Amino acid sequence: MEKAKISSYQLFVLMFIFLHGTAMLVPLAIEAKKDAWLSILLGMGGGFILFWIQYRLFVYYPDMTPVEYIQKIMGRFFGSLLCFFYILYFIYLAARVMRDFGSMLLTTFYLETPLFIVNALLFIVVIYALQKGIEVIARTGEMLFIFLYILAIAGFVLIFVSGLIDINNLKPVLEEGIKPIIKVAATQTLYVPFGEAAVVFSSIFPYLKNNYKTKSIGWFTMCLSGINLAIIMAVNVSVQGVKMTTRSQYPLLTTIQTIQVAEFLERLDVFFMFAAVLGVFFKVSLYLYVAVSNTAVLFKIKKPSQLVYPLGLIVLFLSVIIAASYPEHIEEGLAFITSYVHPVFQLVIPVLLLSIAFLKNRKQQNY
């Protein structure tokens, strides 16, 4: 494990940016239609549970990385096999986020640019950051966080001042009952982005200076991020309506493009693009960092930096070949990954690990 330490504030910043990452780009929970914001809040509630599971595992094994305590819980062979699948999981998700980044730029600005070239530019920056380590990534996030938040507040103020918000687009609440909201929360927003953050940051916890603040920071960050994402979707629907929001690939960008104040302040796409690029950069960096650090621990590699380039190249090429088109990429994510892969790695396996850890630690206490 890298000999590094990050502060409580830096953990909050990294989690906050990670949770927003690509979640603010896509029409999150739009299958719940006008009540998408409610599905996000319900997913956030479930995310608290997923985070608590990872936190309890960390409490049982505070001096170990997930790779180490999974091997201790499951045994060397099955534990190593399980850790290897988690590494593949993180690599795949890093590639998906990188594909989101490339597709967004190609769709909105660089229509004739090859996808590989756009993703390669992000790859270069991510590799440079990973070579510097988690402390530098955390300091970078700390430096940019305030600016990003001010930018977000300014954007929402301009949307409000422009008179674009129509609350009637959000009415009636619970038009189709509570079942669609619960279904979307249980099958989508629980796992993306809240479950993702719980699993990824379980590998970051050992780097925290003040371990006793881990739970409070995690829950506070999830709560703040969940409220923000719910507000974003509520604003998108109130400005565009459900039909337009559903059809839009990037509804927040469409909302920002409609801003017009005093007939001169308009075309503020740069606000969106700046926040989106930074969010994707940190999300890919954290996914790949966790994959690299876990691989180093699993295979006992003394210099994790040696793994940055090979794993990074795998992510780069996988992001290009992962799907033939953007609609296929989205369909794969919703129909397969969110329905079958996320529940296994974010819920089923962690619950199994925690149950075994609880039984083992109770036996030791009895002795």
Side-chain angles (χ1 to χ4, degrees):
M1 188 177 77
E2 178 187 357
K3 294 182 179 179
K5 289 294 180 182
I6 62 174
S7 67
S8 302
Y9 178 67
Q10 288 172 336
L11 177 65
F12 159 73
V13 167
L14 290 178
M15 279 194 69
F16 185 88
I17 298 176
F18 182 92
L19 282 162
H20 284 72
T22 52
M24 68 178 183
L25 309 184
V26 297
L28 191 65
I30 196 58
E31 290 182 11
K33 299 180 180 179
K34 296 177 182 179
D35 299 316
W37 61 278
L38 278 174
S39 286
I40 294 173
L41 293 179
L42 282 179
M44 175 191 72
F48 290 155
I49 298 173
L50 298 184
F51 183 86
W52 179 83
I53 292 171
Q54 298 294 342
Y55 171 73
R56 289 304 306 173
L57 286 168
F58 174 66
V59 169
Y60 280 132
Y61 307 100
D63 300 321
M64 296 184 184
T65 64
V67 172
E68 292 170 326
Y69 66 64
I70 288 175
Q71 290 180 342
K72 186 177 180 65
I73 294 171
M74 299 295 294
R76 188 166 186 82
F77 175 77
F78 290 107
S80 298
L81 188 62
L82 187 56
C83 291
F84 181 71
F85 283 125
Y86 263 107
I87 291 169
L88 295 179
Y89 176 66
F90 293 137
I91 290 174
Y92 175 79
L93 292 181
R96 282 196 64 84
V97 176
M98 187 174 284
R99 177 61 178 262
D100 290 334
F101 166 81
S103 297
M104 177 188 67
L105 290 183
L106 295 186
T107 302
T108 54
F109 294 102
Y110 305 107
L111 303 181
E112 302 298 327
T113 307
L115 177 64
F116 179 82
I117 299 300
V118 175
N119 287 1
L121 294 175
L122 177 64
F123 163 78
I124 293 171
V125 181
V126 168
I127 292 302
Y128 178 79
L130 291 181
Q131 290 281 5
K132 298 299 180 180
I134 189 65
E135 286 187 352
V136 172
I137 296 174
R139 284 194 221 107
T140 304
E142 188 177 17
M143 182 175 62
L144 295 170
F145 172 71
I146 299 298
F147 179 70
L148 281 172
Y149 216 83
I150 292 174
L151 200 63
I153 294 173
F156 282 113
V157 169
L158 290 174
I159 292 172
F160 180 78
V161 172
S162 298
L164 299 170
I165 296 177
D166 184 1
I167 298 298
N168 291 321
N169 287 332
L170 294 171
K171 297 178 181 178
V173 178
L174 299 177
E175 182 178 15
E176 298 182 8
I178 192 69
K179 286 185 179 180
I181 299 173
I182 295 175
K183 179 182 177 182
V184 173
T187 59
Q188 294 183 24
T189 55
L190 170 63
Y191 304 113
V192 180
F194 303 106
E196 291 178 317
V199 173
V200 168
F201 280 89
S202 65
S203 297
I204 307 294
F205 292 160
Y207 299 113
L208 190 62
K209 292 178 182 177
N210 301 317
N211 292 343
Y212 63 91
K213 294 183 178 181
T214 304
K215 183 173 68 173
S216 58
I217 293 171
W219 282 1
F220 172 75
T221 310
M222 281 196 169
C223 182
L224 181 60
S225 299
I227 293 172
N228 284 349
L229 292 173
I231 291 174
I232 289 173
M233 279 308 300
V235 169
N236 287 334
V237 173
S238 65
V239 171
Q240 302 175 49
V242 173
K243 292 183 179 179
M244 281 293 296
T245 306
T246 304
R247 289 197 296 264
S248 177
Q249 289 185 357
Y250 309 107
L252 182 57
L253 174 60
T254 305
T255 298
I256 291 174
Q257 287 174 336
T258 59
I259 294 176
Q260 186 176 13
V261 179
E263 297 185 355
F264 79 92
L265 190 58
E266 55 185 11
R267 299 298 299 174
L268 301 176
D269 307 24
V270 65
F271 278 27
F272 173 85
M273 293 308 299
F274 183 78
V277 170
L278 284 179
V280 169
F281 161 73
F282 279 102
K283 197 161 186 176
V284 173
S285 297
L286 287 168
Y287 270 134
L288 191 51
Y289 178 82
V290 169
V292 167
S293 60
N294 286 348
T295 303
V297 175
L298 180 61
F299 294 101
K300 295 181 171 55
I301 297 173
K302 294 183 179 180
K303 294 183 179 179
S305 59
Q306 296 175 343
L307 299 169
V308 171
Y309 280 102
L311 293 185
L313 286 171
I314 292 173
V315 168
L316 174 60
F317 285 103
L318 187 58
S319 70
V320 177
I321 66 173
I322 202 170
S325 63
Y326 184 72
E328 181 182 321
H329 169 68
I330 295 299
E331 179 64 22
E332 179 184 298
L334 291 176
F336 181 71
I337 302 302
T338 306
S339 300
Y340 300 104
V341 178
H342 284 330
V344 172
F345 285 95
Q346 296 179 17
L347 179 61
V348 176
I349 294 175
V351 168
L352 176 63
L353 292 173
L354 183 60
S355 300
I356 297 173
F358 172 77
L359 293 175
K360 285 189 172 182
N361 282 271
R362 189 175 67 173
K363 287 181 179 179
Q364 290 176 0
Q365 290 175 357
N366 290 336
Y367 285 120

